[in-house]
Amino acid sequence: MNPHRQSFSFTPEQGVPPAVAPFSHVTQWGSMLFVTGQMPTDPATGALVAGGLVPQAEQVRRNLLACLAPFGANLDHALMVRVYLTDFTEFEAFNALYRTWFTTALPSRTCVGSTALAVGAEVEIDLIVGLPGHNIGASA
């Protein structure tokens, strides 16, 4: 089987905020999903969630889960997580929350400090995911 690229865009009705730039929400390559960075915006309104890092991170989690749901995946299927924070003094608070998002072993992760993110967000997260039921690493 030759992997091929498929790109998917979702709607607020599917629980995913509208794109703020030209991109697909998810690109699939074989048994892998590449999920574009999700922002802490409410899908219903497109507005940035207020209240600081923790409420924003929870909204990002919900947006990521909405991107994964059509594929039968969740955060436990994440292989690599990239987190972008605008305030690294919140690193430990984020980590405490992040640990609760997984029921299995934690995926690989990179956390980057950034001076600014789109739409004034305090956090953005993107993923690389292995689809459940696929034998990752098997030869074609």
Side-chain angles (χ1 to χ4, degrees), residues 18 37-38 40 90 94:
Q38 289 299 298
E90 299 271 14
F94 176 79

Side-chain angles (χ1 to χ4, degrees), residues 1 11-13 19 24 31-32 36 39 51 55 57 63 72 81 86 88 97 100 132 140:
M1 174 180 130
T11 65
E13 293 75 29
S24 297
S31 62
M32 307 286 289
T36 199
M39 306 305 294
N63 295 346
V81 178
T86 59
F88 239 77
L97 177 64
T100 70

